[in-house]
Amino acid sequence: MSISVSNISKSYKDVKALQNISFEVNEGELFGLIGPDGAGKTTLFRILTTLLFADEGSATVADYNVVADYKKIRNNVGYMPGKFSLYQDLTVEENLSFFATIFGTTIEENYDLIKEIYLQIEPFKNRRAGKLSGGMKQKLALCCALIHKPKVLFLDEPTTGVDPVSRKEFWEMLKRLQQKGITILVSTPYMDEAELCDRIALLQDGKILEIDTPQAIINHYPKPIFNVGANNMYQLINSLNDYEYNHSVYPFGEFVHYTDNRSDFDPKTLKDYLESKNLTDVVIEKTVATIEDTFMELAKPSFSKTSEHNVK
Amino acid sequence: MKRFKGFIKKEFYHIFRDKRSLFILFGMPIAQILLFGFAITNEINNVDIAILDHSKDATTNEIINKIAASEYFSIKQMVTREADIASVFQKGQVKAVLNFEKDFSKNLIKDHKATIQIITDATDPNTANTISNYVSAILQQYQKELNKDITIAYQIVPATRMVYNPELKSVYMFVPGVMTIILMLVSAMMTSISITREKELGTMEILLVSPLKPFQVIIGKVFPYIFLSIINAIVIVMLSIFIFNMPVQGSLVLLALESILFIISALALGILISTISATQQTAMMISLMGLMLPVILLSGFIFPISSMPFPLQIISNIIPAKWFIIIIKGIMLKGVGLEYIWKETLILMGMTVFFIALSVKKYKIRLE
Amino acid sequence: MNNDKVIQVESLTKMFGDFIAVNDITFDVNKGEIFGFLGANGAGKTTAMKMLIGISKPTFGKAHVAGFDVFTDAENIKKNIGYMSQKFALYDDLTVKENITFFGGIYGLSRKRIKEKANTLIEELGLGNVANQLVGSLPLGWKQKLSFSVSLIHDPKIVFLDEPTGGVDPITRRQFWELIYKAANQGTTIFVTTHYMDEAEYCDRVSIMVNGKIEALDTPKKLKEQFKAANMNDVFLKLARG
């Protein structure tokens, strides 16, 4: 077992950042923590990288206990905190060789591991990190986290604020690193990235909503889900929200994802209802749920407590 | 050792690439020394004064000549009547009037005592005070000459004797103070800022997760500043020797050692500040308010400790700068050796050990 | 001038020395439209947006925003637009009410008007219980919704949103978009940048910038047809990767 977390809880003053979190990550697995800001992702990362003590529970990383063997863990993990922690006033090359030095290694020694990524930023090796674009900073930060050939790699929101192209390239890199035997724990607020992980944990308000493979999570979605489209998005959303049988109404791209709370739901009745609201071009077709649908379905109960309101 | 070298190399990159901190590091000491040396001076030069001589005898003549000959005063006019003194001041023509009593010579020989009244324009109390001190000094000089071959001393006015700085050069007083401030600023403020900057950037997290030990991180962070502070101290001493002709009476080696001790105590304070502040801004505020102000106000640099209210005198004892100023004044101005300042050195050493112990204890290997 | 076109841009260019950050872009935005402004990091989105909101002078080209020239009338533009970015939203150390009052104040609303606005706004967002709490204590999603509503406080013709939903949970993100739809429905033009490609599909029209140029501009549906892509993410990848 590469990472094992059991019953971890952590509070800051009266905010419960993590509540009774347990999960395990296998060796060589690409495991995703999926959740919005404030879900507790960073706190969990800090506990696992020995930067924070948990209030309760225990955890091991690479079979070392995060409290007792913290020194060993610090030698064996790579950590990339949120917001790409680099020295802005050092050049690309200086950053990399600095991190190599403090881990007691050199760029040459582990060059084959980072080669593929580093080649993309090498043309800018004399540029200061502060002047790089988001995508390049991200790649440099990844190189820095890998330079000592860690067994476990912790990546806290590595794709936040980065454009879709760089995000895609980044995930391709992670897949290749995984093939080299590195266990990767990665967090992201982008639900569409969840499908790229082997297994994921959905996290909201410090609680795990579900842990499974992305496919299994999608399969677990409890209701038939429909794409609803019409000529006017705004009126469509309002009409659906006013519809007495609705279970959930969420805009998704050009459609609205709709679920009904009747077991014998007939799309025809909905179509009639919408047309009675002066909507035209009404389309209703069955679709498959996404991770995001599941997330919202699971997050809904806790959500309605904090925000009962909806736009009228 | 290689890790350590790499770390220090990185620190120097930071310092030399940040124009602002470079300016603070090297511009400040020079600017401060020159400012205190030239502009903010307590010295007086060619101050206009008037004289009211009721005696007009040989002695008063001689004294007046002496005063006129000094570079400090120039005699603007002679007043004849007591009543004119007020108008001379009101016109703002002179800063002081010297009033010799009647039969000055006679009194001096007969009673061995004669009085001279020094009337100063106290709208500027500092200058007024300085003027009267200077006049007293000149009178004293004259007295000494008079008394050389006489058994019973002639006494003109009682005045405190100026020692160690007979020329009353204020730059001599300022150099030790400025040196203290600069070393404090560079060592404490710059280190606390550079450590909190890593916290702000998030790089501290990576350093903590790395196999570097906490003390390696700390030493790596402070080492460049020890080096730079020493250069600064050398620059200041050089400036004072070559520009202000200020002699260093005591041992340069002792001066260097004491300075290093003070630098280390300031660095420890800097680390301590960085452990309690989360941002560079807080670190800077704490350094300025918590360190600079006490150094300027309570160390005896500008305001003599002996004239402070008693509670402040007690507080001044916990300020390392106070002891350092005593030490370097001793070495630079009096030329004393360790045998005279061992007590202060020991106090400073104790404080340094205390600060280091405290900051090591407070330095967290984890986040809050 | 066509009154239905609230933003008119023609050959707008911005150079920093030799570097062409924005290269000869031309487009219009209609009244009440939700206009998505996409591009990779460093493609020139932010620079272009800064010119449109009147805080950066174009090197050359023409641009009218809310009927005012960006070269000569930047001050009037600022009065007629709202702006919200992920980085600067509201003051964390002021309460919800104080924030609303402050922003109403800087746009010169009367005290009575501010009070009315504050009440409707708090009511609409369901913030009644937290109206006197510091904004810093609210969840991120609430802050973003409040911040959007505050950017509309002076009834601007256009509101510019710079990555408004970064890091927000999916449910709140959708509530946020419902607010956007509502504003657009009432005739406010929305100019929005985002990194979420599914959000791009919520827009009426989308432009995609690559290396300082607008390489594509159409409705999401037509873009998908044009690039034979299943979704906007694929459109974006095809374009940006050339």
Side-chain angles (χ1 to χ4, degrees):
Chain A
M1 212 55 67
S2 211
I3 301 172
S4 160
V5 178
S6 64
N7 305 316
I8 289 270
S9 294
K10 173 82 188 173
S11 299
Y12 301 103
K13 287 177 195 153
D14 46 346
V15 181
K16 285 182 184 157
L18 291 174
Q19 299 178 49
N20 208 21
I21 299 283
S22 300
F23 66 92
E24 286 181 339
V25 180
N26 300 318
E27 236 172 278
E29 199 173 20
L30 175 53
F31 191 94
L33 289 173
I34 318 291
D37 285 10
K41 302 188 299 279
T42 301
T43 305
L44 187 53
F45 271 103
R46 288 183 171 165
I47 290 173
L48 293 179
T49 52
T50 76
L51 288 171
L52 272 184
F53 286 127
D55 297 340
E56 285 163 52
S58 64
T60 64
V61 172
D63 296 323
Y64 298 117
N65 183 285
V66 290
V67 179
D69 306 322
Y70 75 93
K71 280 185 186 156
K72 294 215 175 77
I73 291 179
R74 290 180 181 193
N75 272 312
N76 284 298
V77 303
Y79 175 40
M80 182 170 151
K83 67 185 180 183
F84 317 139
S85 304
L86 298 164
Y87 294 102
Q88 310 288 325
D89 53 346
L90 299 193
T91 65
V92 168
E93 204 176 19
E94 285 162 357
N95 263 294
L96 193 57
S97 68
F98 170 71
F99 285 110
T101 326
I102 62 167
F103 280 99
T105 177
T106 57
I107 299 180
E108 292 74 34
E109 208 170 312
N110 292 314
Y111 188 66
D112 55 312
L113 190 64
I114 59 160
K115 187 177 164 196
E116 208 186 334
I117 310 162
Y118 187 63
L119 281 178
Q120 299 176 40
I121 49 174
E122 210 184 8
F124 311 100
K125 67 178 184 188
N126 292 320
R127 194 182 283 191
R128 296 202 185 159
K131 304 238 183 243
L132 295 176
S133 73
M136 288 201 280
K137 274 186 194 162
Q138 176 201 41
K139 283 172 194 144
L140 175 57
L142 182 61
C143 286
C144 292
L146 280 172
I147 194 66
H148 58 295
K149 220 176 176 192
K151 288 185 188 142
V152 186
L153 191 55
F154 291 95
L155 308 170
D156 192 8
E157 296 207 9
T159 55
T160 295
V162 172
D163 65 73
V165 179
S166 305
R167 273 166 58 190
K168 186 151 195 260
E169 287 172 358
F170 193 81
W171 278 95
E172 285 162 5
M173 283 176 227
L174 292 191
K175 286 281 181 195
R176 285 194 289 272
L177 286 175
Q178 190 192 1
Q179 279 156 19
K180 292 181 178 157
I182 298 175
T183 308
I184 303 173
L185 183 68
V186 58
S187 74
T188 176
Y190 297 97
M191 301 283 157
D192 55 341
E193 291 181 344
E195 288 165 42
L196 303 166
C197 302
D198 296 334
R199 284 194 307 140
I200 53 172
L202 300 180
L203 212 60
Q204 167 100 342
D205 294 333
K207 279 179 276 193
I208 288 184
L209 303 172
E210 189 157 356
I211 306 173
D212 217 323
T213 63
Q215 194 52 51
I217 284 183
I218 290 170
N219 293 343
H220 288 167
Y221 193 78
K223 286 180 172 291
I225 190 161
F226 294 87
N227 267 339
V228 182
N231 62 327
N232 183 316
M233 192 64 157
Y234 178 60
Q235 280 167 28
L236 176 65
I237 295 169
N238 280 346
S239 306
L240 288 173
N241 273 329
D242 290 342
Y243 193 48
E244 57 183 314
Y245 301 111
N246 82 48
H247 174 75
S248 66
V249 177
Y250 295 122
F252 251 88
E254 57 185 310
F255 296 107
V256 174
H257 277 192
Y258 174 81
T259 57
D260 199 274
N261 57 18
R262 289 166 295 184
S263 51
D264 57 343
F265 170 60
D266 178 7
K268 183 79 181 60
T269 56
L270 178 62
K271 193 169 188 218
D272 292 343
Y273 164 77
L274 291 175
E275 276 165 356
S276 77
K277 293 275 175 183
N278 294 326
L279 285 157
T280 56
D281 309 330
V282 176
V283 188
I284 302 177
E285 55 193 27
K286 204 155 192 275
T287 186
V288 282
T290 64
I291 301 276
E292 196 159 358
D293 287 304
T294 316
F295 187 95
M296 291 192 284
E297 181 61 29
L298 293 168
K300 222 173 150 194
S302 78
F303 206 83
S304 51
K305 255 186 282 160
T306 48
S307 154
E308 63 281 13
H309 134 90
N310 239 322
V311 185
K312 292 276 146 53
Chain B
M1 200 55 211
K2 237 184 96 211
R3 290 180 190 184
F4 189 62
K5 253 198 236 157
F7 203 107
I8 287 173
K9 200 167 101 192
K10 182 211 86 172
E11 286 307 314
F12 276 111
Y13 282 143
H14 288 323
I15 294 165
F16 288 119
R17 283 180 190 172
D18 182 2
K19 299 279 173 309
R20 222 174 11 167
S21 61
L22 254 192
F23 174 76
I24 296 182
L25 270 174
F26 292 106
M28 286 279 275
I30 298 171
Q32 287 222 21
I33 280 285
L34 295 180
L35 260 174
F36 278 110
F38 287 121
I40 313 169
T41 172
N42 274 351
E43 281 172 58
I44 52 170
N45 251 320
N46 285 321
V47 169
D48 291 333
I49 57 168
I51 290 187
L52 173 56
D53 189 352
H54 292 290
S55 319
K56 298 218 169 82
D57 53 30
T59 317
T60 60
N61 235 335
E62 229 170 299
I63 293 174
I64 291 167
N65 280 340
K66 274 215 176 302
I67 288 171
S70 85
E71 55 187 290
Y72 308 124
F73 303 106
S74 77
I75 297 166
K76 185 89 182 207
Q77 64 185 108
M78 303 298 285
V79 186
T80 45
R81 291 181 308 148
E82 213 75 40
D84 289 343
I85 293 176
S87 74
V88 172
F89 275 123
Q90 273 157 12
K91 284 183 195 144
Q93 288 162 332
V94 299
K95 291 273 179 208
V97 176
L98 302 189
N99 185 359
F100 293 89
E101 65 172 344
K102 243 194 175 102
D103 303 326
F104 193 89
S105 238
K106 226 187 276 168
N107 289 348
L108 198 59
I109 294 163
K110 199 175 77 195
D111 305 335
H112 288 270
K113 191 178 172 190
T115 5
I116 169 172
Q117 190 188 14
I118 307 165
I119 309 160
T120 52
D121 176 358
T123 47
D124 179 357
N126 272 336
T127 316
N129 193 28
T130 318
I131 290 172
S132 87
N133 280 341
Y134 277 42
V135 174
S136 309
I138 293 170
L139 290 175
Q140 231 146 23
Q141 194 72 29
Y142 177 70
Q143 243 171 273
K144 241 197 251 169
E145 283 167 29
L146 274 186
N147 295 349
K148 238 183 276 169
D149 36 40
I150 297 170
T151 40
I152 310 157
Y154 291 115
Q155 206 182 347
I156 299 179
V157 273
T160 42
R161 216 163 63 91
M162 302 280 164
V163 285
Y164 305 126
N165 185 7
E167 296 165 81
L168 288 169
K169 287 256 188 194
S170 57
V171 67
Y172 290 10
M173 310 301 297
F174 281 125
V175 165
V178 170
M179 186 152 145
T180 312
I181 289 190
I182 299 284
L183 294 184
M184 198 69 170
L185 183 82
V186 171
S187 312
M189 189 156 100
M190 301 292 267
T191 32
S192 63
I193 287 177
S194 97
I195 294 177
T196 43
R197 179 165 52 207
E198 300 230 15
K199 282 197 204 173
E200 256 177 66
L201 271 176
T203 43
M204 189 53 95
E205 279 182 54
I206 303 184
L207 295 184
L208 288 175
V209 173
S210 81
L212 279 179
K213 294 185 180 65
F215 79 87
Q216 286 177 312
V217 176
I218 292 193
I219 295 190
K221 297 264 2 156
V222 303
F223 183 84
Y225 291 100
I226 295 185
F227 179 75
L228 292 169
S229 301
I230 290 173
I231 292 186
N232 259 319
I234 293 171
V235 169
I236 295 171
V237 173
M238 292 295 216
L239 274 178
S240 45
I241 292 175
F242 292 111
I243 298 195
F244 298 107
N245 300 316
M246 175 182 173
V248 174
Q249 310 275 9
S251 147
L252 277 172
V253 177
L254 184 60
L255 182 66
L257 290 176
E258 295 279 2
S259 301
I260 292 172
L261 176 64
F262 180 67
I263 289 168
I264 293 173
S265 82
L267 289 171
L269 272 173
I271 297 165
L272 202 58
I273 290 171
S274 72
T275 60
I276 53 172
S277 35
T279 64
Q280 295 178 60
Q281 225 181 352
T282 338
M284 189 137 93
M285 288 304 285
I286 297 180
S287 305
L288 285 175
M289 304 306 281
L291 295 181
M292 299 302 292
L293 279 184
V295 169
I296 294 174
L297 299 176
L298 293 177
S299 66
F301 162 35
I302 292 179
F303 307 109
I305 292 171
S306 54
S307 58
M308 283 176 199
F310 188 64
L312 286 186
Q313 287 193 29
I314 293 186
I315 292 173
S316 76
N317 285 329
I318 60 165
I319 293 168
K322 170 191 164 170
W323 305 105
F324 183 61
I325 287 183
I326 296 176
I327 291 169
I328 54 172
K329 271 188 181 166
I331 299 172
M332 293 173 100
L333 300 177
K334 300 187 200 167
V336 298
L338 193 59
E339 63 274 19
Y340 288 97
I341 47 172
W342 63 269
K343 212 170 70 190
E344 287 81 5
T345 308
L346 218 56
I347 293 172
L348 199 57
M349 228 180 249
M351 286 180 164
T352 309
V353 171
F354 175 74
F355 290 139
I356 291 177
L358 198 62
S359 56
V360 166
K361 194 161 173 276
K362 287 221 72 167
Y363 186 83
K364 302 226 173 40
I365 54 162
R366 293 191 164 79
L367 302 167
E368 309 264 330
Chain C
M1 184 177 303
N2 190 335
N3 274 336
D4 284 346
K5 298 209 184 316
V6 290
I7 301 178
Q8 288 180 298
V9 177
E10 209 183 313
S11 304
L12 197 66
T13 300
K14 176 81 184 187
M15 297 171 68
F16 297 107
D18 289 340
F19 177 68
I20 308 174
V22 174
N23 189 354
D24 191 24
I25 58 170
T26 301
F27 64 93
D28 295 331
V29 180
N30 301 319
K31 184 169 189 288
E33 191 173 28
I34 303 176
F35 190 84
F37 200 61
L38 312 185
N41 297 110
K45 275 180 315 194
T46 313
T47 313
M49 196 144 155
K50 277 186 183 161
M51 290 193 279
L52 295 182
I53 60 177
I55 57 174
S56 167
K57 261 217 157 71
T59 313
F60 45 80
K62 275 195 233 164
H64 282 84
V65 174
F68 299 103
D69 190 328
V70 294
F71 282 93
T72 55
D73 238 354
E75 287 316 305
N76 274 321
I77 290 179
K78 287 179 198 168
K79 279 180 208 154
N80 283 285
I81 61 167
Y83 178 71
M84 172 202 165
S85 90
Q86 193 188 350
K87 282 160 215 123
F88 175 76
L90 300 165
Y91 292 101
D92 274 352
D93 50 355
L94 298 185
T95 67
V96 172
K97 263 193 182 155
E98 286 162 352
N99 263 296
I100 298 173
T101 311
F102 170 76
F103 283 102
I106 59 171
Y107 282 106
L109 267 60
S110 71
R111 204 176 298 169
K112 194 170 144 251
R113 186 96 183 90
I114 291 175
K115 220 174 171 180
E116 283 167 20
K117 276 272 174 191
N119 288 338
T120 37
L121 217 147
I122 287 168
E123 152 97 47
E124 272 183 11
L125 295 178
L127 295 175
N129 295 330
V130 293
N132 290 316
Q133 268 183 35
L134 295 186
V135 162
S137 68
L138 300 180
L140 177 71
W142 293 26
K143 273 193 242 182
Q144 298 299 81
K145 283 193 283 181
L146 176 63
S147 165
F148 175 67
S149 305
V150 167
S151 74
L152 291 171
I153 197 159
H154 55 299
D155 300 313
K157 291 184 182 151
I158 311 162
V159 54
F160 288 85
L161 307 173
D162 194 3
E163 288 179 37
T165 55
V168 176
D169 70 85
I171 296 181
T172 312
R173 213 144 64 78
R174 284 176 173 75
Q175 293 174 350
F176 192 90
W177 271 92
E178 288 176 18
L179 287 175
I180 291 180
Y181 280 128
K182 189 182 169 199
N185 202 51
Q186 289 164 355
T188 311
T189 306
I190 312 286
F191 188 97
V192 59
T193 72
T194 178
H195 275 151
Y196 291 94
M197 284 304 125
D198 57 326
E199 290 190 347
E201 311 220 13
Y202 300 160
C203 301
D204 295 322
R205 282 193 306 147
V206 169
S207 77
I208 301 178
M209 266 184 102
V210 182
N211 295 329
K213 290 192 165 175
I214 291 186
E215 293 289 348
L217 199 173
D218 216 323
T219 63
K221 204 171 180 175
K222 287 205 179 123
L223 285 177
K224 279 187 280 183
E225 282 166 16
Q226 185 188 338
F227 288 90
K228 300 187 180 61
N231 51 43
M232 281 306 292
N233 200 38
D234 289 348
V235 172
F236 191 92
L237 291 178
K238 277 188 180 166
L239 252 178
R241 275 188 174 172

